[in-house]
Amino acid sequence: MDKAGEFEALRPLLFSIAYRMLGSVTEAEDAVQESWLRFDASSTRPVSVKAFLPTTVTRIAIDVLRSARVRREQYAGPWLPEPLLDDPYQDPARAAELADSVSMAALLLLERLSPLERSVFVLREVFAFGFDEVSTVVGRSEAACRQLLVRARRHMREGRPRFVADRQEQQELAEKFFGAMSQGDVDGLRSLLSADVQLVGDGGGKAPQLARAVAGAENVARLLATIPALMTRTGITCEPRAINGEPGALFRDRDGKVLRVMVLDLLDGRIHVIRSVINPDKLGHLGPVADAWAVHGEVRQTRRQPN
């Protein structure tokens, strides 16, 4: 197999590592591409391509993550990961770990870790790399890597939910939620939300967004119940589907362009957090992106019109 073939065989793994490291589809794809360039430019063949490429993409991701931290501290409003529709890497033996680690809740917990803690956790806990392999990747002793993993596990455990519904329960709850939302059913929505539910929006200063998170079942239910009438008047459609392995939906404008992504985080049989990504920079990989400001202007006009 030539270099290109070897690389393509490992591309799904490389992307999946990079995405969990960075929480960004665009940055993960760039890291994978840079890994290819380095691999292709190498005049000597690595002893193990399967070791060389994951090492390369992880080290690139660590460097990107260090610079990204400064940008995220200056980010306008809440920062959320770029939504992922499908994880290209599949491993039946690691299915549970892969699914859990790609959720938005998990990616936000990973944001609390240092770049080295994050890399060790992702490689060891998610992809089951041996400590000897992890040590080579991050340039630390195996003992140091074990300590990094202990700290990473502690941080992740502190933010873990008490009870996560199984896939069937998630699907049923999501169907009820989007059904109630489509009907503007305040009572129905309220019954599905936890008392301390939060609605968080990420516009990044580049699209209309909430001034702050909306909290409480009553407030969130009433806000969501206003959406159907506005969708009808502006031609917005809602397409329920899994986002980052969680129940969610794509919202499109009248031309079919992606306007926003909504993801539901479930806890103890209720919806605990609703995350909405509308920053156009985070939606381009999903297809043509709508002009959120134009849609927002149309929404404001419809609110002034009598029913």
Side-chain angles (χ1 to χ4, degrees):
M1 186 182 295
D2 61 10
K3 270 190 171 182
E6 290 179 302
F7 181 83
E8 288 303 320
L10 289 170
R11 181 188 286 274
L13 172 63
L14 302 180
F15 174 85
S16 293
I17 291 172
Y19 179 73
R20 287 163 175 79
M21 285 289 295
L22 300 168
S24 165
V25 173
T26 305
E27 290 176 345
E29 290 175 341
D30 288 345
V32 172
Q33 180 62 20
E34 178 62 24
S35 299
W36 159 248
L37 294 175
R38 294 186 188 185
F39 180 47
D40 188 45
S42 175
S43 58
T44 59
R45 178 179 174 79
V47 174
S48 170
V49 174
K50 290 184 178 180
F52 175 82
L53 287 173
T55 296
T56 301
V57 80
T58 302
R59 289 177 177 175
I60 291 169
I62 288 172
D63 290 340
V64 173
L65 190 58
R66 284 170 174 157
S67 63
R69 282 183 170 248
V70 176
R71 296 197 305 274
R72 290 173 190 178
E73 287 172 0
Q74 301 169 344
Y75 195 78
W79 180 91
L80 295 176
E82 287 186 15
L84 182 69
L85 298 186
D86 299 297
D87 186 1
Y89 180 71
Q90 302 295 324
D91 179 357
R94 308 292 299 171
E97 292 82 357
L98 290 168
D100 180 64
S101 64
V102 83
S103 71
M104 283 205 172
L107 291 171
L108 288 170
L109 286 175
L110 285 169
E111 284 289 306
R112 302 180 183 182
L113 308 183
S114 71
L116 286 182
E117 288 171 344
R118 189 165 183 165
S119 60
V120 170
F121 185 89
V122 167
L123 294 175
R124 177 63 183 172
E125 292 291 287
V126 181
F127 295 97
F129 278 50
F131 275 109
D132 56 335
E133 298 171 296
V134 175
S135 173
T136 299
V137 172
V138 303
R140 296 291 189 276
S141 68
E142 289 189 33
C145 288
R146 291 180 187 276
Q147 287 302 311
L148 286 166
L149 182 61
V150 168
R151 291 202 297 269
R153 282 173 172 167
R154 183 172 64 249
H155 287 306
M156 295 295 287
R157 189 164 52 246
E158 288 170 354
R160 290 288 182 181
R162 297 181 297 277
F163 169 75
V164 178
D166 63 28
R167 296 296 174 186
Q168 183 62 34
E169 287 181 280
Q170 289 183 352
Q171 184 62 34
E172 292 174 358
L173 186 55
E175 289 176 359
K176 291 178 182 178
F177 171 82
F178 287 112
M181 192 179 76
S182 69
Q183 298 171 19
D185 181 359
V186 175
D187 292 336
L189 286 166
R190 190 191 302 111
S191 70
L192 302 171
L193 305 175
S194 65
D196 57 349
V197 65
Q198 286 196 322
L199 173 60
V200 182
D202 175 353
K206 299 184 178 183
Q209 66 186 69
L210 298 168
R212 62 181 64 85
V214 179
E218 185 68 26
N219 294 332
V220 172
R222 290 193 176 280
L223 177 59
L224 292 173
T226 66
I227 291 177
L230 298 175
M231 288 177 60
T232 299
R233 292 176 176 177
T234 56
I236 297 172
T237 58
C238 174
E239 177 187 322
R241 64 171 302 165
I243 309 289
N244 287 71
E246 301 173 294
L250 290 174
F251 289 79
R252 300 181 185 274
D253 70 2
R254 63 174 78 254
D255 297 319
K257 295 179 179 179
V258 179
L259 176 64
R260 73 167 69 227
V261 165
M262 180 180 287
V263 185
L264 309 181
D265 186 357
L266 280 54
L267 178 64
D268 294 335
R270 293 286 187 275
I271 296 168
H272 181 59
V273 184
I274 302 168
R275 298 184 176 95
S276 177
V277 180
I278 196 171
N279 183 344
D281 292 347
K282 296 186 175 185
L283 301 175
H285 61 284
L286 302 177
V289 179
D291 183 342
W293 287 110
V295 175
H296 180 63
E298 190 174 354
V299 166
R300 292 184 65 181
Q301 284 187 325
T302 63
R303 281 176 169 158
R304 297 192 191 104
Q305 297 171 359
N307 291 324

